Structures are given as structure tokens and as C-alpha cells.
Amino acid sequence: MNMEQQVEHSHLPIRGLNLHVAQAGKGELGTVLFLHGFPEIWYSWRHHMLAVAAAGYRAPPEPEAASYDDLVEDLLAILDALSIPKAFLVAKDFGARPAYYFALHHPSRTCGVMCLGIPFLHGSSSFTNLPEGFHILRWREPGRAESDFGRYDVKRVVRTIYILFSRSEIPIAKEDQEIMDLADLSTPLPEWFTEDDLAVYASLYEKSGFRYPLEMPYRSLHKANAFEDPKFQVSVFVVMGERDYVYKFPGVESVLKDGIMVKFAPDLKIAYIPEGSHFVQEQFPDKVNDLLVRFLKDHPVSA
């Protein structure tokens, strides 16, 4: 049975929206909710949805919303709509913040949290010391990325972002450059990301455009309400690719290695994948699946 036959697609009426949900598995052992970042889509979790479904879990990825608080509320509404009492949250990139926030707001609905590439920072990282050409600073300017992306077709935009974000260096443009200028068509795709994969992404963004993923998360970072004294009541697992450019963000390595995050998450586990990039789950799906399924098995869902 191929992936298309194993993944079920449906739409849920959630908080005034008609949200697309892709899911796999029957959920005999529990539910795993996947949250992705940009430029990823539900397809980014394809390897892992099927792995957790085969292990006995139900696996729906989380769809779009307008702000981080909306994402948390949508997560809760999705669980309610699907009659799921509690779930594991698996997230990466900008999906990590709503996963952490959901676990803090709703510990009774959370079995555990596994985040790829993003620790719980709680103000420990700042972009103010990074150059003006840093991609997050550029893309949070209204119209800046739209103008940059608009010079090329959708496939070229996604291709360039995957190339840049798979590198170990932080994407930073010079004053006379835009982010899309940092790679061209002569630059090969990462070996683990095929032209067929690229076509799946392009087909979605050709329909949706890039407005929403630029607004949320890049232009919504300041909208999330911070916790004064956060303390996780569930197990937290951070998987970090050692060649992930995010690892070079100010404060990230310190949070992981200097015991800062454990102050907020007493039951914390951290694993490193030596050659892992920002897209570690697509680069090394088997390694991530082994870590993921082991985390789920180590934390059985209580009745």
C-alpha cells in the first residue's frame, strides 16, 4: 500500500475555518499531532506519520491558523472535534512554539512533546545582534519577501529555501541582495529532497501563495503571550541536528548545553544527530522515526 492509500484527507470545521487534516493510523496506543514550519506542509511529515501509524498511533498534522494563540486554540479544537482526550505533540521549526505553549496551557491534554531543531527558549535568544540581512528580519517586513519571491516561479522559491535552510550557515543576505539571491538554479537540491518532493510543495503553494506563511509565523512572532514562570508538567524531548543553522542562533546552544532548558522542563531529554540539518526529519527519516517511536513507547498513554 503506497502513501496516498495510507493517508486519509478530510476537512474539519474548526473555529469558523474549514481546515484540511491529513491523518494515518487507528490510534490504538494514542494520538500524535504533528506541527510543521515553513516552507513545509503536511507532506513534510510523510515518513513519520506512517511510522507512528504502523506503531499503533493515530497521526494527524496540524493545519494553518492566524497567530500562535490561534494555533494553540486550534490544536485544542482539533482534539475535541476528533474526540481525542490527549495527544503527543511532535513539532519542528515554528511549529515548536505552539507545541510548547499547548503543553504549558493544557498539560492534561498532552502526553509529551518532541521538538526538532528548536528548544524552549523563553527569551534566551534574540535576533537583535544578527545582521539586517538575516532572513527572519527581512521576511517580517511587510512586502519584502513578496517582492523577492515574486521574481521567480513558486517551484524556484521553494527550491531555493530548501537549499538555503539545509545548510549549516544562517541565511544572511548582503545589503544589495535579497534572500532568493543566495542560491541559483546551478545549486543542486539536497540529495534527500527530490524533484518529485519539490513538485508536491510547488503544487500546494501555487494554489495558496505565500502570504499566510509569511504572516504566520514571521510577522506574528511578537504577538504570542509569554509565560512568566513556565514549567512543563509533561516529558519534553528535543532532537537537534548539529548542522542545523538554528543551532548558531544566539542562545540556542547555551539553552541546550548549559542546563537552562531543564529549569523549565524537569523531565527533559536531548538527542543530537551529528550531520542533521534543519530538515533532519526528511534528511534522516529512519533515525528520527527510531527516536520518535521510542519516545512514544517510553511514555504510554494512561487511561
Side-chain angles (χ1 to χ4, degrees):
M1 185 180 295
N2 60 29
M3 182 186 68
E4 289 77 9
Q5 294 172 314
Q6 296 180 68
V7 177
E8 175 187 346
H9 296 266
S10 60
H11 287 81
L12 288 177
I14 297 291
R15 302 176 66 235
L17 300 174
N18 192 33
L19 298 181
H20 168 253
V21 174
Q23 56 186 316
K26 302 300 182 183
E28 298 93 341
L29 297 180
T31 299
V32 183
L33 198 59
F34 290 91
L35 296 85
H36 61 75
F38 176 76
E40 295 153 312
I41 57 178
W42 75 267
Y43 181 82
S44 312
W45 292 115
R46 60 197 180 280
H47 304 295
H48 317 287
M49 290 176 64
L50 300 185
V52 301
Y57 298 84
R58 186 177 184 181
E62 202 282 321
E64 300 176 347
S67 72
Y68 286 102
D69 291 336
D70 284 325
L71 283 171
V72 172
E73 292 305 309
D74 282 355
L75 286 170
L76 184 62
I78 289 169
L79 295 185
D80 289 343
L82 297 176
S83 300
I84 298 170
K86 59 195 308 186
F88 291 95
L89 302 177
V90 179
K92 76 169 296 287
D93 194 56
F94 284 113
R97 180 180 282 191
Y100 288 135
Y101 282 14
F102 184 90
L104 289 168
H105 276 296
H106 305 288
S108 66
R109 305 296 298 273
T110 309
C111 301
V113 181
M114 176 178 174
C115 287
L116 310 181
I118 304 290
F120 182 71
L121 295 169
H122 191 55
S124 299
S125 182
S126 171
F127 302 143
T128 56
N129 294 327
L130 290 170
E132 174 276 335
F134 174 45
H135 76 282
I136 290 179
L137 297 180
R138 286 284 184 89
W139 289 354
R140 74 181 184 185
E141 298 177 25
R144 185 73 179 257
E146 289 89 335
S147 177
D148 185 12
F149 293 1
R151 297 179 293 157
Y152 305 106
D153 62 38
V154 168
K155 183 177 285 189
R156 170 78 177 268
V157 172
V158 177
R159 178 190 186 93
T160 300
I161 294 172
Y162 252 82
I163 290 170
L164 296 180
F165 286 11
S166 65
R167 294 172 177 172
S168 61
E169 299 301 319
I170 298 174
I172 296 175
K174 297 178 182 178
E175 187 175 346
D176 61 348
Q177 287 182 313
E178 296 297 333
I179 300 300
M180 289 295 104
D181 296 328
L182 297 179
D184 57 35
L185 288 176
S186 67
T187 309
L189 284 169
E191 62 182 15
W192 41 265
F193 191 73
T194 69
E195 291 289 343
D196 288 341
D197 295 330
L198 178 60
V200 175
Y201 283 75
S203 66
L204 184 144
Y205 280 112
E206 283 168 356
K207 298 174 184 176
S208 69
F210 292 102
R211 183 197 61 80
Y212 174 83
L214 291 169
E215 182 65 30
M216 174 67 219
Y218 292 99
R219 296 164 191 166
S220 301
L221 285 170
H222 63 286
K223 297 179 182 179
N225 296 320
F227 287 81
E228 288 188 11
D229 185 24
K231 188 73 71 174
F232 288 93
Q233 300 177 39
V234 299
S235 298
V236 177
F237 185 21
V238 177
V239 177
M240 196 79 203
E242 292 186 349
R243 293 184 59 80
D244 186 336
Y245 71 89
V246 172
Y247 200 43
K248 296 182 178 178
F249 282 12
V252 169
E253 184 176 4
S254 177
V255 163
L256 292 170
K257 293 196 172 181
D258 293 344
I260 296 174
M261 186 172 168
V262 76
K263 296 176 182 177
F264 308 116
D267 187 2
L268 173 67
K269 179 182 178 182
I270 301 171
Y272 296 92
I273 297 181
E275 294 300 313
S277 71
H278 189 60
F279 301 108
V280 66
Q281 89 281 14
E282 295 184 89
Q283 181 186 10
F284 296 117
D286 292 341
K287 289 182 180 179
V288 172
N289 280 338
D290 287 344
L291 293 170
L292 169 56
V293 173
R294 193 178 313 142
F295 177 67
L296 301 179
K297 299 292 187 184
D298 287 344
H299 299 87
V301 179
S302 57

